[in-house]
């Protein structure tokens, strides 16, 4: 029984390490990783509820889209007027 618990603990530890590394490798904030301009947020209620720390974004300039780490900041006036693209 102890062997099963040790193996289960190592599997859970591996999953936790992989999750942390994958989270840290994601780009941070609303700036595009290629052209460094603000990207538009692609809203998805299910994804926002499931993983609130991450956000899907799309770059109008170069077309890059992907998942980024959500940053806490107040939107500027120009960002507040931009329409959000529903998924
Ligand atoms: Zn871009």
């Amino acid at each position: 029984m102890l062997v099963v618990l040790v193996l289960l603990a190592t599997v859970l530890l591996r999953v936790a390490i992989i999750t942390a590394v994958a989270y840290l490798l994601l780009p941070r904030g609303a700036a595009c990783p290629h052209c460094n301009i603000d990207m538009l947020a692609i809203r998805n209620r299910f994804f926002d509820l499931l993983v609130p720390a991450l956000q899907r974004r799309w770059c109008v300039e170069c077309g890059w889209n992907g998942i980024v780490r959500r940053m806490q900041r107040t939107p500027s006036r120009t960002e507040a007027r931009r329409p959000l693209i529903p998924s």
Side-chain angles (χ1 to χ4, degrees):
M1 188 65 189
L2 183 64
V3 173
V4 172
L5 289 177
V6 169
L7 289 176
L8 183 65
T10 57
V11 168
L12 292 177
L13 190 62
R14 267 187 265 167
V15 169
I17 290 171
I18 290 170
T19 303
V21 169
Y23 177 77
L24 291 175
L25 286 175
L26 290 174
R28 227 168 73 175
C32 175
H34 294 283
C35 51
N36 207 24
I37 67 166
D38 276 357
M39 297 184 287
L40 297 178
I42 301 173
R43 302 284 171 161
N44 184 326
R45 277 189 205 157
F46 181 72
F47 187 74
D48 287 346
L49 282 175
L50 194 66
V51 193
L54 301 178
Q55 188 176 39
R56 186 143 186 241
R57 289 196 166 255
W58 174 58
C59 179
V60 179
E61 188 73 22
C62 70
W64 184 89
N65 73 69
I67 297 171
V68 299
R69 286 188 270 170
R70 192 185 300 256
M71 299 297 294
Q72 297 295 331
R73 67 184 180 109
T74 56
S76 65
R77 287 183 184 171
T78 56
E79 287 173 336
R81 277 188 243 137
R82 286 185 189 165
L84 298 176
I85 300 171
S87 58

